[in-house]
Every structure is written in structure tokens, then in C-alpha cells.
Amino acid sequence: MDQIHLMNVFTAVGEEESFAAAARRLDLSPAAVTRAVSALEDKLGVKLLVRTTRNVRLTEAGRRYLDDTRNILASIDEANEAAAGINSAPRGNLTVTAPVLFGRLFVTPSIVRFLKDYPEVEVSALFLDRLVNMMDEGVDVAVRIGHLPDSSLKALRVGQVRRILCASPQYLAEHGTPQHPADLLRHTVIAASGVSPRIEWKFGAPDDPTMVRMKPRLTVTSNDAAIEAAAAGLGICRLLSYQVPRELDDGRLQTILPDYEESPWPVHVLHRESKYGSSKVRMFIDLLVEQLRAHPHLN
């Protein structure tokens, strides 16, 4: 059997952890899927899958081979697309990731515009407040906030955000405006992340920081909830500036202690380097970078 066909079938079985599900995904019979995997194992001389009556799981060799087959098949798709012509219309699947609120406020408009312009493209948007491994999860484009570690990924800087303190005008009118980080100890604090009863907030330059140990009255794991609580006049919360552009613009929240802010955090668009360029990835990155660099809340 054709090697690429065998790799495609094995990849589907490995990702689905099921021969039947892989058969449905590939529109093949279960028997054809079983024959293909057996042929591949015979060709390689190694066991890739362990089959039981209830499930299918990868061996250690199978897990390594699955990573390799994903990369090889992705490169083949990109090579085919490049050979078809750089000016051909983008088509196929595109996977994008970003933090939840950033994705909703800043990335979704670019995705919507891209899908309207190119009807043969499908996008999977993973908006998650965790670090997504682009290779393991098949992500084409990622937005990262903060300083980047060294990696093989290509990074394009598109702006910056600040860590800010904010509260409603109503709250500040009733309780006063803090003039120094130590004043926060006398105020109601809303923590936008974590579950610890006490947290430390750092202010100022990296070489001369001011640390304040806070005891929040309200701790939530959702930034949206913290924003709503602060806008309703409960207290002071600490967020990234991109998370509250509307609230700052319409006056429901205002920043406090701007002179004690830490240095801004860079925002980058990342993608995986490859020998061949995928037109859908290139063209989406061009659109996303252009729109993010022009956004007033990122500069």
C-alpha cells in the first residue's frame, strides 16, 4: 500500500483512538483501516497500537510515530498548496489560538473577515487561558502575551498591553483614590485569578519593585466576572489593559496608580516555521498582524 495512505490511516486511528471512528472519518471500511495499520506495522517492524476489546491505545513507539506523521502530512499539504500557486485562493482548515478575552475582542473580527473573504477556509479557534502547545495540538497561528522563551517559532510583534489597576468612578467617589500601592490595603480588592486567600501584587520597575500582599474580598477565575464586579462598584481589580477597552472608553472603569505600573507586556503573533509556506496561514497572518498593529488599545 502507498506509504502516505498508511500514514494517513494510522494518524486517524491514533487521534481517534478507535478503528471505527477512524473509518468514519476517512470514509473507509473498518476492515480497510485494520489492514492499513497492520501493513504499516509490518513495514516498520514495530508495534504501534495495542488493541483491546474496548479501546485502542498507542505504544511508546506509536506516540513518537504519530508526532512524526502529523508533521510529515502537514508538510505534504503545505507543499501541495505551494505547488498549486502562491496566488491560489486559500482553502482547508486553519487552527488559531489566543487567550479567551483577547480572542473574543481582537482575533474574532479578523477570523470573521477572513472567512467572508475566503469561503473555502474553515477555522478552529481555541480561545483558552492556558499555554497551548502549537505542535501537539496542531495549531497554525497563536497570539501570545508576555515575553517569549527561545523557540523555533516565528514571532511577529504586533503591540503591547499593560497590567493596570481599575475601579468604577462610583467606588472611588465613595472610598477615595489610592495614591500609593500601600493604600490598597485599606480598599476592597477583587482578584481576577487564582484561589489563594492571599496574593502579591508587584508594582514599579523590575529593578526596584514594590510588593503588596493583598487579601481579596472577592476571588474569581473569570476575568469577565472581575470586570463586572468592578464596574458594579464593588472594589479595585487588576487586569491587562486589553481586557477592559470598552469599560475604559465608556467611563464605567478608570485606571488608578498609573505611575506605579510595571513595564508593558509585548504581544506577538506566532506561527510554525516550515519549508513550504501555506497560503492560508500566510494570508491570515498578514490580515491579523495588520489589524492588531492598527488597534489603538494595543499601542
Side-chain angles (χ1 to χ4, degrees), residues 191-202:
S193 63
V195 295
S196 172
R198 288 190 177 273
I199 58 172
E200 283 192 338
W201 284 354
K202 184 171 72 171

Side-chain angles (χ1 to χ4, degrees), residues 175-282:
H175 302 278
T177 301
Q179 301 300 312
H180 186 275
D183 297 341
L184 296 171
L185 297 173
R186 298 190 293 273
H187 283 266
T188 299
V189 169
I190 303 163
S193 63
V195 295
S196 172
R198 288 190 177 273
I199 58 172
E200 283 192 338
W201 284 354
K202 184 171 72 171
F203 299 89
D207 57 347
D208 187 26
T210 298
M211 306 294 294
V212 180
R213 190 170 178 82
M214 310 299 303
K215 185 179 180 181
R217 189 173 178 201
L218 172 64
T219 302
V220 294
T221 56
S222 162
N223 289 314
D224 283 321
I227 293 166
E228 288 303 314
L234 177 64
I236 298 170
C237 68
R238 196 180 202 198
L239 299 159
L240 291 173
S241 56
Y242 79 84
Q243 295 169 333
V244 286
R246 295 172 184 171
E247 291 79 7
L248 293 175
D249 285 346
D250 64 22
R252 284 188 292 156
L253 291 176
Q254 63 186 64
T255 58
I256 59 176
L257 298 177
D259 294 339
Y260 292 92
E261 290 177 4
E262 296 179 273
S263 299
W265 292 10
V267 180
H268 291 91
V269 171
L270 277 65
H271 66 96
R272 292 176 288 166
E273 291 185 292
S274 63
K275 183 178 180 180
Y276 304 101
S278 165
S279 66
K280 67 176 180 289
V281 173
R282 287 196 313 270

